[in-house]
Amino acid sequence: SDEDGGDGGGSGGGSEGTLKVGVAYDTGGRGDKSFNDSAIAGVEAAVQALGGDVDEDIEELSPNEDDSNREELLTQLAENDFNPVIAVGFAYGDIIADIAADYPDTQFAIVDTSVEDLGVDNLTGLIFAEEEGSFLAGVAAASKSVTGHLGFVGGQQSPLIEKFEAGYVAGAKAVKPDIIVDVTYLSPAGDGSGFGDPEGGKVAAQGMYQAGADIVFHAAGGSGEGVFEAAVEAGQRAIGVDSDQYLSASPDQQAVIMTSMLKRVDLAVEEYLNSFADDSLESGTDILNDLSTEGVGLSESGGYIDDIQDVIADFRQQIIDGDVEVPTTP
Amino acid sequence: MTALRRLGSALFAPAIAVVFAVVITALVILLIGENPTTALRVLFDFGDSPAQQTQAIVVILNRAVPLFLAGLAVSVAFRMGLFNIGVEGQYRMATVLAAGAGAAVALPAPLHILLVIVVAMAVGALWAAIVAILKVTRGVSEVISSIMLNFIALGTASWLLTGPLRGSEEGAAIITTKDLPESGQFPGLNGLFDVIGLAQPRGELYGFLIVAVLVGIAISVLLKRTRFGFDLRATGLSPSAATASGIDARAMVVKTMLISGAIAGLIGLPDLMGRTHHFGTEFTAGLGFLGIAVALLGRNSPLGIAFAALLFAFLDRAAVPLQFADIPASVVTIIQGTIVLAVVIANEIARQITRRRAEGDSGQAGPPAPESPPGGPAGTAGSRIDEPQGAQS
Amino acid sequence: MSTTAAPVTTSAPSRGPLTDLFLGGGTARRVTWIVVGLMLLLSVVRIISGEQALTSSSTFSTALLLAVPIGLAGLGGLFAERAGVVNIGLEGMMILGTWGAGWAGYQWGWAGAIVGGILFGAAGGLVHAIATVTFGVDHVVSGVAINILAGGLVRFLSELLYVDNPAGGGVTQSPALSSRPPSFSLPVLSDGPDLLGDLAGKEWFLVSDVAGLLRGVTSGVGVLTLIAILLVPISYVVLWRTAFGLRLRSCGENPAAADSLGVPVYRMKYIAVVISGGLAGLGGVALVFVANIFKEGQTGGRGFIGLAALIFGNWRPGGLAAGAGLFGFADGLQLRSRTAVVALLLLLAVLLLAVAVFQTVRGKYVQAVLAAAFAALSLVGFLTIEELPEGIVSFTPHLITLLVLSLASQRLRMPKADGLVYRRGES
Amino acid sequence: MAEGPAGAHAAAAGTGDAPYAVELRGITKRFPGVVANRDIELRVRRGEVHAIVGENGAGKSTLMKTLYGMHRPDEGTILLDGRETTLRSPADAIAAGIGMVHQHFMLADNFTVLENVVLGSEPTRGGRLDRAEARRRIREISQRYALNLDPDVLVEELGVGDRQRVEIAKVLYRGATTLILDEPTAVLVPQEVDELFGNLAELTREGLTVIFISHKLDEVRKVADSITVIRRGTTVGSADPRTTTARQLAEMMVGSELPSPQTRTSTVRETPVLELRGVTVASLGGRPAVDDVSLTVREGEVVGIAGVEGNGQAELVDAIMGLRPAEGVVVLGGEDISGWSTRARREAGVGFVPEDRHRQGMLLEAPLWENRILGHQTRPPAVKGPFIDRTAARADTERIMRDYDVRAPGPDTLAVALSGGNQQKLIVGREMSAAPRLLIAAHPTRGVDVGAQSAIWELLKDARAEGMGILLISADLDELIGLSDTLQVMLRGRLVATLDPSSLTPEELGGHMTGASDGAVGAL
Ligand SMILES: Nc1ncnc2c1ncn2[C@@H]1O[C@H](COP(=O)(O)OP(=O)(O)OP(=O)(O)O)[C@@H](O)[C@H]1O
Ligand SMILES: Nc1ncnc2c1ncn2[C@@H]1O[C@H](COP(=O)(O)OP(=O)(O)OP(=O)(O)O)[C@@H](O)[C@H]1O
Ligand SMILES: [Mg+2]
Ligand SMILES: [Mg+2]
């Protein structure tokens, strides 16, 4: 009987203006100060804006330690009539299509995975042009670098993180073609430890600073903490990722976080929920969040890059206009 | 009577342990200001509709199958006193190579399945054999070598996945090997639910369950009923006595690790052949370590391990519904850890009690000797031999 | 009357030449010898391969940084295992230590973090002691249970205390420490004028390499690194030179004998295992200091590596420090430079060649041929490989540990009653 | 009923009002299912050597452990020098001047003599172990009581005699005035025993009191000033060694006659069962453990190997069993088995009663029927093809238990639950039931009481009469002389003398074993 109530909405369930949103987190869950928190912030903003109750109308689930119950998270949310169900992280990419097909009356969204080729029409991919944001980070770094030497620390050597690297290197070279960029990944593909290994992050970044790099960009999740520490010790600069890391950093780290490459998962999710609520959702496809939609960008907190805003704005426009083609693989 | 008593003491330990774990968990839940009875209800609430209930059963069984295999792999080595902490690496290597091999060939269904299984077992066995060979030829402790080999397996599997065995297209977020063709996939068991008249669950029950059961029976027979199993257990109980009895302890180390590794090779197959059909970056890791806990909980006996795996799977299933009830999923891990600790402590207490009792039995059986010595019952007041008796002689 | 005694040989039984080299006899002399030999080798390899990273001061300081948590975990293992309790729960205790350090550290600064980490680790040790000593549970079993439990517990505690904590933090991390631990440099030599640094930069044969080593371990050394380094000789003195140490070790060699002489075996084991947990916890603190924050999964199996270092070092503080150092060196190199890892192949080739020559002299031709074959293989690898893929590079330190262990034909001697459950009056 | 013995003892104490050095009154100690000591009375005068005798499991060790504070008695009181004392731990006992040398040595092999001796009462200076002081004191004790110890040698490098002296040094170091020795002579040769007794005399001269336990009644009579006999956990009386014969003592202990290992007529046949030619076993450092040993065992012959422990007997046994790599040739019934595995050797008809039954003979945590299979995994009745035949194994275990008088509830009992003697009988029964051609019997009656001892001797004699060849290694010289047809003496890995047991006294044999006899010294 519950299911009957649910399917009335079809592709736009929130008839009373309230949503029942299910969120399946990536490893770490709520409170990770990063990805997951960004996603839930978007959900909460949307639900509040639509007059819903944040405690009542949102159900958040975290996977267990070895990630083996991801499928369960999604099905349980769907079974319990949450609609839409948002999967945070590409790790759900392997399974979400099957589940969406099983629950045709529920809308699903997945962050960081393209669903265009899957042909499931109740599934939306919320994807980001990380390479574009990273390009701007590269531009900023190269413009600010005194030594002509930069660094990049990636968490896991996966296609997603390689997008960051590709954009960053391209951006740096666009400013200074002969600039050196050291690149290190903390763990190989399939080994997630690189996102939670601050010691590794610190050692890698330290190496870069000692070799002459003066700005290091990290896309290494929790290991980034180590990168910032290395910057503090070396008295050099670092670039954060995903959220504006300046805001959550300790004062001595704020002194070194030059900027952050923003990946606005919150905006993307909020946007998605809004279109779901007002029935304008066009599912079965991807929603690309790039520079033009402000889905990615650079933070300005701390004011360290105020003096080069014009250069950055220039490149941003060129990318949006398609004058600059940003590579997605290194 | 002894059988009954043995059963009694066999059940006594787990019962105490579960009670203990429940108490600890209840305290933990109270600490976060939630209601422990809610948690208890959630644990046993499999859903409202028949389909949901059967689905819960499928989730438990599907989780239990790899856990069982992992526990079994660990326990075989344990039985002869080897600590195979390397199951983790063994099944990773086995799964990636089995996935690669399975996707690379075209064979009729039963053969194809067989090939994947054989490759997995062979790779697992070989990876474990490194540990064994280093131990018997170079005296390298199996604990260290298997820890190191776990890391080496992680890197190697990653390299295989991103290099020679890469099947997913460039740029896909998840890197995987090529999918196994239909003929290499293990059929599910959902037909079974129709047969016993239960609702069809949403998911598919792993057909690999059957393989796991067969392997469990085989290992059970091997250990309990065969000469080889006797040799294996004897070596575990006392290497020196085993050697003196003619068992080649070095060969035993190698053989045991081969078997343990071969079973370990199967751990990743239920997922590989029943669900994902490829090895990828989202591979379920950590089963090797859980297998240690499961083996310990199951007291290294195949049946016990089956129960332990089911218990772990049962608790794991609750992770999702618990969150619906606002109880964090980490509670499940806490229950699992507490149960393991409680069970091993309770086992130990029970073992001491049984052992004492056994000794009590034989202690009482000692005195009624057939040729009871003259001089009256023992314990009468002593007499001086050098006075009256000495005078007699 | 002495005719009845078995002949007394004054020299200890040989344990194979390489092992003797590492662990035997006149320790100080041998250690010096090894360090000199290794430096020479590294220097040659550096010159040939042009990989300055091999012996740069930053490589050595990184090695030190990475070795500290492993070494502390290993020292923790040392205390427990010398008292006869196998501690596979080091990883769990280290996890508890990181959490304790994060929790205490954000409130009371770095000194608080040290205390918090030690206390949490020690609490893990206490659980292990209760299970193994009082209840006689198999040591491995209890350790595994503690590892599982620790993971669940810290997640739970974070959920309880950090979510919605105004100071920051979340389910997987603590707020940042409220103060930073101090660090020290050797004045003039490694700081200010930085004479060693100058020398190290000259790329001179051997001289620069040694200068790199010295500067690496004397500049910017954190307070915990200092403590860890000091703890190595301190552990030696405590365990081998005091009455307490003798009693503790007697529990690992023959607890029944210790008991019969009035040594409180159970109490000693409790003390040892709690110390063990505390040291593992301190290892966790070291990790927290690196990141200035507690982060779930931070330990990344370092407790297990610490255990391996302990066994590697033949259950001795110096040996385990060497094991931790070797691991740290390889790990640092791996994280820093993929190309330097390739240069290690050359090092390996040279070492294997030496083994081959040595085995030929001893008349063990099979081993000699095997070693020579692998030497050739490594050399070919060095000459042909430009850069190894990330997957392969990532396990460099583990592979090296395994290789060294299997090369050093070892007769490691663990405490005789290690891992045996002791019950009074039952032997 | 406690008054009887108490009264008798008061009479025995006779004249002196001086309190007893040790007096135990009505000691009862229960273990789960066993009453190890029941209402025991013991009175030991200061300065005497007091012997305690009794069969295996009579409760002697338990009583001594009680006196040493290792466990508390359930009932009864302990008086030391007339004062009632409660001993909560060995530490208390040590403080009260009691020291104990245990039946099984309590030494840490990997520690030096010094470390073993000072453990628990270490001299310290500035928090550190004061090795110099410790060394000085050990040397002093060593000299005073002629113990001849080097403080800095690792215990694992010492022979049994030296180890025992280390144990004694431990006790003396703690200033003990009362010394308990639990079966100190079980592993010693006569010369060593004499030395020990010399040491004991030294001790009593200094005013120390010695309580000592032994199964060897002649020895007891020789050295003790008074004797207490324990049977089934309780005192059955005391005896005066000067007026009591060994036979009377034995009867008091078990109510049966003292067994004698006398061989009946010779049954030696011509066919050799075992021939060793130039067998050499290398040891870790220097001199080989077994050096060029050649010998022959014929059908129906018992060849005894005499030797002080640690002179290569254990290695020789290992070499014959294939447990240790060896050079030279081992021929079994005309077939060269040098390259064979242990299992193949056993299958070819070699039975093996190992020296250390706990280490090599049994699976303590396994039931008896599984222990029946051990060493016979490839042969019926216990196995069928690759499978284990549990029913047959159980049945055959029951047979062994009947035939060999193994006292246990049933084949499912765990082996740990059996006393040493019963374990040994099971092992002998097991090895005999495969009807081997050759039996390697290493210390077959060590630590076994007189009843079980004679049973095992009878078994060996019967088997020999049926044509089995037996290689007997023993530290019990009476056993060696009584059972063997030929005796070989082993010293430093070599066979140094072949002796005729029919005309040999234990003292002469002991001389050969220690290399004191001319011939043996010449051979070196
Ligand atoms: N710790 C114990 N727990 C249970 N039973 C024990 C324990 N120690 C001894 N016993 C029992 O007490 C009885 C006496 O044993 P004890 O060791 O004192 O004999 P014993 O006279 O020293 O024998 P032996 O001559 O063989 O050394 C035995 O039946 C034994 O089973
Ligand atoms: N701590 C103990 N707990 C239970 N039973 C014990 C204990 N110690 C000894 N026993 C039991 O005491 C009995 C005799 O033990 P003990 O070691 O004295 O044997 P034994 O006849 O002296 O043989 P051995 O010559 O090998 O010493 C056995 O039944 C043994 O199981
Ligand atoms: Mg005794
Ligand atoms: Mg005994």
Side-chain angles (χ1 to χ4, degrees), chain C residues 40-410:
Chain C
L40 210 68
L41 204 62
L42 274 175
S43 186
V44 170
V45 171
R46 172 181 65 85
I47 302 255
I48 296 177
S49 67
E51 281 295 341
Q52 303 304 332
L54 272 180
T55 61
S56 71
S57 99
S58 95
T59 300
F60 288 114
S61 74
T62 309
L64 192 60
L65 186 76
L66 290 167
V68 164
I70 294 167
L72 284 171
L75 281 178
L78 179 72
F79 273 83
E81 304 218 349
R82 278 290 166 187
V85 179
V86 166
N87 194 353
I88 202 124
L90 284 173
E91 175 76 9
M93 297 170 198
M94 208 169 177
I95 290 174
L96 291 174
T98 52
W99 196 89
W103 178 73
Y106 91 85
Q107 305 182 75
W108 303 295
W110 65 270
I114 291 183
V115 176
I118 292 177
L119 287 182
F120 267 73
L126 187 64
V127 174
H128 192 48
I130 292 172
T132 56
V133 180
T134 301
F135 290 106
V137 170
D138 183 277
H139 300 178
V140 171
V141 175
S142 167
V144 169
I146 285 172
N147 288 341
I148 297 179
L149 206 55
L153 191 68
V154 299
R155 168 59 77 88
F156 175 79
L157 287 174
S158 299
E159 243 155 51
L160 194 64
L161 295 173
Y162 294 154
V163 174
D164 308 325
N165 187 330
V171 278
T172 58
Q173 66 186 56
S174 71
L177 301 197
S178 58
S179 70
R180 247 165 241 279
S183 69
F184 313 93
S185 294
L186 215 58
V188 185
L189 285 180
S190 314
D191 203 17
D194 194 9
L195 300 180
L196 285 172
D198 278 353
L199 261 185
K202 298 262 194 269
E203 302 188 10
W204 290 343
F205 175 72
L206 202 54
V207 178
S208 297
D209 305 295
V210 173
L213 172 65
L214 291 179
R215 183 176 184 279
V217 297
T218 53
S219 92
V221 175
V223 63
L224 208 54
T225 307
L226 216 58
I227 293 177
I229 292 174
L230 288 177
L231 274 174
V232 174
I234 288 175
S235 300
Y236 174 76
V237 169
V238 166
L239 285 175
W240 273 271
R241 290 282 175 258
T242 66
F244 168 81
L246 183 66
R247 292 175 184 197
L248 191 149
R249 285 185 299 125
S250 72
C251 299
E253 294 289 342
N254 187 343
D259 209 352
S260 77
L261 293 177
V263 173
V265 174
Y266 288 173
R267 198 190 312 155
M268 290 310 291
K269 287 192 176 221
Y270 259 88
I271 293 174
V273 179
V274 169
I275 291 180
S276 171
L279 285 170
L282 194 60
V285 179
L287 290 172
V288 169
F289 278 1
V290 169
N292 207 35
I293 197 175
F294 154 79
K295 187 96 204 151
E296 195 174 278
Q298 206 167 18
T299 54
R302 285 177 178 87
F304 290 113
I305 305 282
L307 194 68
L310 172 68
I311 301 175
F312 181 96
N314 199 19
W315 288 267
R316 290 182 155 269
L320 80 86
L326 175 71
F327 190 93
F329 174 76
D331 201 15
L333 215 54
Q334 173 268 124
L335 281 165
R336 286 285 170 79
S337 161
R338 285 198 216 178
T339 49
V341 173
V342 179
L344 284 181
L345 283 175
L346 180 63
L347 189 78
L348 187 68
V350 175
L351 274 177
L352 281 171
L353 204 66
V355 172
V357 170
F358 177 74
Q359 297 285 23
T360 317
V361 171
R362 278 182 41 183
K364 300 202 164 179
Y365 297 110
V366 182
Q367 280 96 328
V369 169
L370 221 67
F374 277 107
L377 212 68
S378 315
L379 192 64
V380 170
F382 169 70
L383 294 175
T384 54
I385 297 171
E386 186 80 6
E387 188 181 295
L388 289 163
E390 174 64 26
I392 305 292
V393 170
S394 67
F395 59 71
T396 313
H398 310 89
L399 188 63
I400 288 180
T401 307
L402 198 57
L403 277 178
V404 172
L405 268 178
S406 31
L407 278 181
S409 157
Q410 49 164 344

Side-chain angles (χ1 to χ4, degrees), chain D residues 238-306:
Chain D
S238 54
D240 183 338
R242 286 174 299 271
T243 59
T244 317
T245 63
R247 183 173 300 267
Q248 286 169 326
L249 269 180
E251 278 169 9
M252 209 169 165
M253 280 164 57
V254 284
S256 66
E257 293 203 349
L258 184 65
S260 117
Q262 286 311 318
T263 313
R264 282 156 292 192
T265 48
S266 167
T267 57
V268 182
R269 304 174 196 176
E270 268 315 297
T271 346
V273 188
L274 174 76
E275 284 173 88
L276 305 181
R277 284 188 230 120
V279 171
T280 301
V281 177
S283 71
L284 271 182
R287 211 162 42 79
V290 175
D291 196 355
D292 194 21
V293 165
S294 301
L295 66 79
T296 305
V297 182
R298 295 184 174 76
E299 283 182 4
E301 184 183 29
V302 178
V303 174
I305 306 259

Side-chain angles (χ1 to χ4, degrees), chain A residues 81-232:
Chain A
D81 299 324
F82 288 95
N83 190 16
V85 172
I86 299 173
V88 184
F90 66 77
Y92 291 93
D94 228 10
I95 52 172
I96 197 163
D98 291 342
I99 294 167
D102 282 353
Y103 297 91
D105 299 330
T106 306
Q107 279 293 333
F108 289 86
I110 177 165
V111 177
D112 270 354
T113 294
S114 164
V115 303
E116 213 127 56
D117 303 331
L118 297 177
V120 182
D121 56 15
N122 56 333
L123 177 59
T124 307
L126 306 178
I127 59 173
F128 296 85
E130 291 91 353
E131 69 282 3
E132 293 184 1
S134 302
F135 187 97
L136 294 190
V139 168
S143 311
K144 286 296 219 176
S145 174
V146 181
T147 58
H149 192 157
L150 303 175
F152 172 81
V153 177
Q156 189 188 143
Q157 191 168 33
S158 63
L160 178 67
I161 305 301
E162 283 176 340
K163 274 161 92 180
F164 288 84
E165 180 200 337
Y168 179 66
V169 173
K173 299 233 182 247
V175 177
K176 290 187 187 155
D178 56 350
I179 201 160
I180 305 170
V181 187
D182 288 344
V183 175
T184 294
Y185 285 91
L186 298 180
S187 65
D191 171 8
S193 67
F195 290 119
D197 180 14
E199 193 174 38
K202 180 167 184 179
V203 166
Q206 246 176 9
M208 293 169 180
Y209 289 126
Q210 277 162 4
D214 54 357
I215 300 170
V216 175
F217 173 41
H218 88 85
S223 310
E225 211 68 43
V227 175
F228 294 149
E229 280 303 298
V232 170

Side-chain angles (χ1 to χ4, degrees), chain D residues 53-296:
Chain D
V53 296
E55 354 169 41
N56 285 130
K60 307 176 297 287
S61 300
T62 305
L63 185 67
M64 292 302 108
K65 285 178 185 170
T66 306
L67 179 55
Y68 190 54
M70 292 177 75
H71 42 224
R72 303 274 293 275
D74 297 314
E75 289 163 30
T77 50
I78 299 171
L79 285 84
L80 302 177
D81 291 321
R83 273 191 311 278
E84 196 171 323
T85 315
T86 314
L87 302 170
R88 280 185 204 79
S89 68
D92 285 0
I94 292 167
I98 297 174
M100 178 159 173
V101 175
H102 293 267
Q103 185 172 355
H104 307 281
F105 291 147
M106 293 277 197
L107 296 170
D109 288 351
N110 198 20
F111 279 15
T112 61
V113 169
L114 182 150
E115 289 174 323
N116 268 292
V117 171
V118 301
L119 177 62
S121 18
E122 306 83 354
T124 52
R125 200 175 51 195
R128 291 181 59 163
L129 183 60
D130 188 351
R131 281 175 191 262
E133 167 68 9
R135 211 167 276 130
R136 196 187 57 72
R137 279 168 63 184
I138 292 170
R139 290 232 167 86
E140 189 184 294
I141 291 170
S142 175
Q143 247 155 35
R144 182 153 160 211
Y145 300 99
L147 296 179
N148 195 20
L149 291 173
D150 176 354
D152 293 312
V153 178
L154 280 185
V155 163
E156 66 182 355
E157 290 166 9
L158 298 181
V160 256
D162 278 333
R163 285 180 193 222
Q164 192 156 54
R165 283 190 285 276
V166 175
E167 287 279 18
I168 293 174
K170 269 163 68 173
V171 171
L172 296 174
Y173 175 86
R174 284 164 179 74
T177 52
T178 303
L179 219 80
I180 304 168
L181 300 167
D182 194 350
E183 290 193 38
T185 57
V187 292
L188 303 181
V189 291
Q191 276 73 10
E192 285 178 311
V193 172
D194 286 344
E195 277 165 18
L196 174 68
F197 289 166
N199 293 143
L200 293 188
E202 199 80 35
L203 297 173
T204 45
R205 230 191 327 277
E206 301 264 341
L208 273 70
T209 310
V210 176
I211 302 177
F212 113 102
I213 296 176
S214 176
H215 289 296
K216 299 183 182 170
L217 303 180
D218 284 328
E219 228 171 68
V220 167
R221 292 196 321 127
K222 202 159 80 185
V223 70
D225 297 312
S226 56
I227 303 174
T228 296
V229 183
I230 294 183
R231 187 164 82 211
R232 298 199 170 178
T234 194
T235 24
V236 290
S238 54
D240 183 338
R242 286 174 299 271
T243 59
T244 317
T245 63
R247 183 173 300 267
Q248 286 169 326
L249 269 180
E251 278 169 9
M252 209 169 165
M253 280 164 57
V254 284
S256 66
E257 293 203 349
L258 184 65
S260 117
Q262 286 311 318
T263 313
R264 282 156 292 192
T265 48
S266 167
T267 57
V268 182
R269 304 174 196 176
E270 268 315 297
T271 346
V273 188
L274 174 76
E275 284 173 88
L276 305 181
R277 284 188 230 120
V279 171
T280 301
V281 177
S283 71
L284 271 182
R287 211 162 42 79
V290 175
D291 196 355
D292 194 21
V293 165
S294 301
L295 66 79
T296 305

Side-chain angles (χ1 to χ4, degrees), chain B residues 335-358:
Chain B
I335 303 180
Q336 287 173 342
T338 317
I339 285 191
V340 172
L341 208 57
V343 162
V344 292
I345 289 178
N347 272 348
E348 200 50 43
I349 294 170
R351 197 184 71 83
Q352 281 168 32
I353 290 173
T354 10
R355 188 173 158 167
R356 282 231 184 88
R357 228 186 256 155

